[in-house]
Amino acid sequence: MNLKQYLKIWVASMRYSIVRTMMFRFDFLVWLAVDFVWMMVNILLIEVIFSHVDNLAGWGKYEMLVLIGTAMIISRIFDFFFMGNLLELGGKIRLGEFDFTIIQPGNPLFMVSTRKVDLEGLPNAFVGLGVVIYSMGKLGLEPHVGQIFLYALMLICGILVHFGVLLTIASASFWIVSTEGTENGYFNLFQFSRLPRSAFKGVFNFLLVYFLPVVIISNLPARTLIDGINWIHMLWLTTATGLWFFFACSLFSYGSRRYTSASS
Amino acid sequence: MKIGVGAPAIGLPGEGLSHFLAKYWFIFLLGLQNAFIYRWNLLIRASFSLLNLAVAVILWMAAFRGQTEIGGYGMEQTISYFIVLMFFNYAISAFTEDYQIATDIRMGTINQFLLKPMNYLGYRMTTFFASRFVSVLAVIAPIGVSLLFLSAYFYLPDESWRWTLVLVTGTMAAMLQFLFAYCFGLLAFWFLEIRGLVIFSLAVETFLSGQIFPLDLLPASLYRISQFLPFYYQMYFPVAIFSGRLSLHEALPGVVFQAAWVLALFGISQILWRFGLRQHTAVGG
């Protein structure tokens, strides 16, 4: 299949997902509201902390909100395109439903990660964007086009890192068939994206800032908006993204060779 | 089809106490066995919650830089709060009880309880306590690991009244947790799918029960309002007593409030059960 055909399949499955979501409109609204409440709770946490202190590891209140808004945009766009698909992957491998993916005439990773989109994610990505824009206004920042362009590029890196980490966790199911619930680790891990990099010390600094790029995916774009362009940051983020994405894809294709199906 | 309203809340007429206790003891054992089936999942989840604890610890340690107290409490008390919270989360939270009850209703497995001399609430509450017993075992290891790093910031209360009150309020908090889940589960008599509702209330509960930050850091008026809501008593209250955020003078009226909420939710659950059964068509089973 060529690129055009892949795109056509993706668009078709998006259209199907949207039609399906619109059949369960009330459900859709409930999930939207739930997610919105969670986001507000996170913002409230910042409000509460800053009602008692004036900075968090050197970050001011509105700088923190730029950070949190950025983390929200990344995770919501990832939710929209990929999260549901990758969360289902582990179960598919365990139950033998992965059969239906590998018999399709396309790249299995593409097929499995674009089967559907979750519409709930998208509106709240705009809420995140709203938080960022509002906080930038409060900080009196007016980023130029280059900053915005690099910021957008860094957001894409963030989405790819989410993809890589969750795919790595899901691919573990090729080896550990009996264990459910490892996917939840993904949610625990990316909570660190909402914290400023300067708050990390010692072993956490090594693990979560340098080894797993869960902290830098939000911190570096936020600093790009606040402080201006830093090419070393850009290089760091793109390299880390490339390495993780490549590692995850290799693990997936190596694991899928071990796949033995089940119960059929 | 006309169905009875199920067995009365405590025992059956003519049923001896020993018989009654033996019955629930068996259910408790059954609950233990069921919970042990998922021991690995539980252990994995408990280990992952170390990451949640790490998020809170890193955040609050950063907030305490250049600061000796926040809201009148030092860093030790604040970090202790989150460690105790993690313990209580596994000791008293109702994780999946609402879904289990909803499934019983939807799939019709609840019908067997309507036909047997068994009170459904009693049965569910007993298995709830059994599975909490197992999840406490699962969280011991992660708590131990966290104390390796954080023992300098962890403190155990030395006043004996705190230990007594934590036992009392912790038990009532568990009952509140259970009754909440029970009531939500019973909504399945009316709605096919309760997942959205449950997750929505979970978000509100998580915040208002002090699992995001200690509630006393809220502006005074909001904190006062939160004290009238049941969420305050289903998690924050025992945790705050244990980690020294409430004095005896402040805690005692809370115990009365908490007991009132337990009774109120019990009443609501009985009403839901009564009206729910009228809706129930006993499909499947």
Side-chain angles (χ1 to χ4, degrees), chain B residues 140-159:
Chain B
I140 286 176
I143 293 266
V145 171
S146 72
L147 288 181
L148 279 182
F149 293 95
L150 298 168
S151 57
Y153 304 108
F154 184 66
Y155 97 122
L156 285 171
D158 39 19
E159 303 107 316

Side-chain angles (χ1 to χ4, degrees), chain A residues 18-261:
Chain A
I18 292 166
V19 170
R20 209 185 126 75
T21 307
M22 286 303 121
M23 278 165 64
F24 303 100
R25 266 170 298 225
F26 181 70
D27 237 34
F28 168 70
L29 287 176
V30 169
W31 283 105
L32 211 61
V34 169
D35 194 31
F36 185 73
V37 170
W38 275 119
M39 291 167 87
M40 289 305 118
V41 166
N42 280 316
I43 289 172
L44 195 73
L45 171 64
I46 295 304
E47 279 289 339
V48 165
I49 292 180
F50 277 94
S51 68
H52 296 272
V53 304
D54 55 8
N55 79 86
L56 239 176
W59 291 57
K61 178 171 153 189
Y62 291 105
E63 291 177 330
M64 275 303 291
L65 287 177
V66 171
L67 176 73
I68 286 183
T70 304
M72 281 173 179
I73 300 172
I74 295 171
S75 75
R76 292 324 182 275
I77 297 178
F78 177 71
D79 286 2
F80 172 69
F81 284 112
F82 304 115
M83 189 181 75
N85 295 313
L86 291 183
L87 282 178
E88 283 170 9
L89 175 60
K92 279 185 176 167
I93 296 167
R94 281 190 289 272
L95 299 172
E97 288 165 12
F98 189 59
D99 292 5
F100 299 107
T101 305
I102 45 181
I103 57 170
Q104 285 167 357
N107 177 300
L109 181 56
F110 178 85
M111 289 318 216
V112 88
S113 49
T114 58
R115 204 182 62 82
K116 61 168 189 184
V117 291
D118 286 315
L119 216 53
E120 293 90 22
L122 216 49
N124 285 324
F126 288 102
V127 177
L129 187 65
V131 172
V132 171
I133 292 173
Y134 170 79
S135 315
M136 300 262 297
K138 284 282 180 186
L139 289 168
L141 293 171
E142 282 169 17
H144 54 78
V145 184
Q147 265 171 298
I148 295 172
F149 178 73
L150 281 190
Y151 178 76
L153 216 60
M154 286 170 139
L155 293 186
I156 294 173
C157 286
I159 295 163
L160 291 177
V161 168
H162 272 258
F163 188 97
V165 172
L166 187 52
L167 181 63
T168 304
I169 295 173
S171 299
S173 301
F174 285 118
W175 288 271
I176 330 168
V177 184
S178 58
T179 319
E180 284 172 49
T182 40
E183 287 89 353
N184 289 326
Y186 159 78
F187 296 103
N188 299 105
L189 266 180
F190 279 93
Q191 290 186 51
F192 291 103
S193 302
R194 296 196 299 261
L195 300 180
R197 190 182 132 203
S198 46
F200 291 81
K201 282 189 208 158
V203 65
F204 285 111
N205 190 29
F206 171 74
L207 276 179
L208 297 161
V209 177
Y210 291 100
F211 181 65
L212 276 175
V214 292
V215 175
I216 58 167
I217 57 163
S218 55
N219 272 258
L220 301 189
R223 290 314 324 181
T224 301
L225 285 185
I226 298 167
D227 302 332
I229 296 169
N230 181 331
W231 291 107
I232 294 173
H233 282 175
M234 192 66 210
L235 187 69
W236 180 10
L237 186 57
T238 42
T239 313
T241 305
L243 285 175
W244 267 97
F245 192 71
F246 176 74
F247 171 75
C249 294
S250 314
L251 190 74
F252 173 80
S253 71
Y254 180 63
S256 55
R257 266 179 266 152
R258 284 182 50 102
Y259 176 67
T260 53
S261 187

